[in-house]
Amino acid sequence: MKKIITSYMFHTLLICKSSGFSLPSRQRQVHTSTLYSLFTRPSRSHLGRRFSFQRGFSSFSSTQQEHQQEQKTLKELHDGQYYQAEEVIKKSRFIGIAKHCTSWESAQEFVDLIRSQHPKSRHVCFAYVGGFNPKTERCSDDGEPTGTAGVPILGAINGEDISDTICVVVRYFGGIKLGAGGLIRAYGGAARLVLRDAEKEVLIPKLSLQVSTTSSNAGQIYSTAMKYNGIVEGESYTEEGDLQVTITCNVDQFETMRQDLVDATRGNITFL
């Protein structure tokens, strides 16, 4: 019965079209929707299958979302090594450099290191993403037009869905201006080039705390941090001679390490 009705309406539309007669827009919509529903409406015998497929698809999406919640980072290289890739665009060299960094302080130190290694470069632009839920994001155009360097590099990091990562793009000017669009493509492209080829691993969530204590407790601070594989950075001294450092460790060990720091210094410690 459906085939007869469908054939009838299809030929009716063809006859109207060939004779130059056109239906009002409202009627055309009705006929079109009727045809569509006849072709696409599932029979009762298929409803169960369709529902099962939707349930399975929804379950897959949920699993995929859970998988995406596993934050990744670059695999850490040792002995001062880092990932690097280079491309030349209209005689300008764009060198993409990336490294695993656990804090903004260590990222700044790395940028300073790259500057010292490329003293004749025109620009040293970078972006940094750190932490997990929430993230810390920083970027710099280093003299390029606003938004043409740091933001594209930052977009490349987020595009790879990684954190605790510093990405630097060094530019040696070749004498030809690229324009705003060209710069965005060049800096973003160099960043993606190095990040895509870099090895990645699941990021273990970490927390940082800044402490202040007397200089005589320096040994206890460092030994306690080492006990939990903590990273000590940003060492400085106040005018009174007190030691200030930032310690980063895994989230699941954070509270235990914090209490051990209090015990090791006999309570003579301040958390900033």
Side-chain angles (χ1 to χ4, degrees):
M1 184 65 181
K2 287 182 180 179
K3 290 184 179 179
I4 295 173
I5 295 174
T6 303
S7 177
Y8 169 75
M9 296 195 69
F10 180 71
H11 286 292
T12 301
L13 290 175
L14 287 178
I15 292 170
C16 290
K17 184 175 181 180
S18 61
S19 62
F21 175 76
S22 62
L23 294 172
S25 60
R26 180 177 179 82
Q27 294 182 12
R28 284 204 305 271
Q29 292 175 359
V30 172
H31 286 306
T32 304
S33 62
T34 304
L35 284 172
Y36 178 78
S37 63
L38 288 173
F39 278 118
T40 59
R41 183 183 300 143
S43 64
R44 292 182 179 275
S45 61
H46 291 87
L47 286 176
R49 293 183 187 176
R50 186 177 179 185
F51 179 70
S52 299
F53 171 75
Q54 289 177 343
R55 286 186 62 186
F57 180 78
S58 176
S59 176
F60 171 77
S61 299
S62 177
T63 303
Q64 190 177 43
Q65 288 176 357
E66 290 176 3
H67 175 71
Q68 289 177 346
Q69 289 178 357
E70 287 188 348
Q71 183 66 61
K72 292 187 177 182
T73 186
L74 298 185
K75 184 176 181 180
E76 187 171 5
L77 302 178
H78 301 287
D79 301 325
Q81 296 182 346
Y82 46 77
Y83 300 98
Q84 180 171 317
E86 178 180 341
E87 60 181 349
V88 178
I89 301 176
K90 293 185 178 180
K91 298 183 179 181
S92 284
R93 291 176 60 200
F94 291 88
I95 306 172
I97 299 168
K99 185 180 184 295
H100 172 81
C101 283
T102 57
S103 68
W104 169 234
E105 289 75 16
S106 61
Q108 288 177 298
E109 292 175 1
F110 182 69
V111 173
D112 291 339
L113 173 65
I114 298 303
R115 290 187 193 279
S116 66
Q117 293 177 350
H118 296 271
K120 295 184 179 181
S121 63
R122 178 67 68 89
H123 304 281
V124 179
C125 308
F126 67 86
Y128 166 75
V129 176
F132 174 64
N133 194 26
K135 292 181 179 179
T136 299
E137 296 182 345
R138 305 285 180 89
C139 65
S140 169
D141 296 313
D142 192 37
E144 293 283 26
T146 303
T148 61
V151 172
I153 300 172
L154 182 62
I157 298 176
N158 288 327
E160 292 296 312
D161 194 24
I162 54 179
S163 187
D164 281 8
T165 299
I166 178 70
C167 183
V168 184
V169 177
V170 179
R171 182 189 184 188
Y172 284 88
F173 185 58
I176 301 176
K177 293 185 178 180
L178 302 182
L183 289 173
I184 291 172
R185 290 189 294 272
Y187 279 102
R192 286 190 296 271
L193 190 64
V194 65
L195 292 171
R196 286 176 180 174
D197 291 340
E199 293 185 72
K200 300 174 182 68
E201 60 187 7
V202 175
L203 174 66
I204 300 175
K206 299 179 183 294
L207 284 176
S208 298
L209 75 164
Q210 189 176 8
V211 302
S212 176
T213 185
T214 58
S215 57
S216 59
N217 287 328
Q220 287 87 333
I221 294 295
Y222 278 90
S223 61
T224 302
M226 188 180 299
K227 177 182 175 182
Y228 295 95
N229 294 319
I231 300 173
V232 182
E233 298 175 306
E235 179 181 304
S236 63
Y237 290 89
T238 65
E239 295 179 355
E240 293 77 17
D242 289 341
L243 170 68
Q244 290 186 349
V245 294
T246 299
I247 306 174
T248 304
C249 73
N250 295 349
V251 170
D252 57 353
Q253 296 179 314
F254 183 80
E255 289 299 331
T256 306
M257 186 190 72
R258 191 177 189 275
Q259 185 57 49
D260 275 7
L261 287 169
V262 174
D263 296 339
T265 59
R266 297 182 180 180
N268 187 13
I269 187 171
T270 302
F271 298 98
L272 305 176

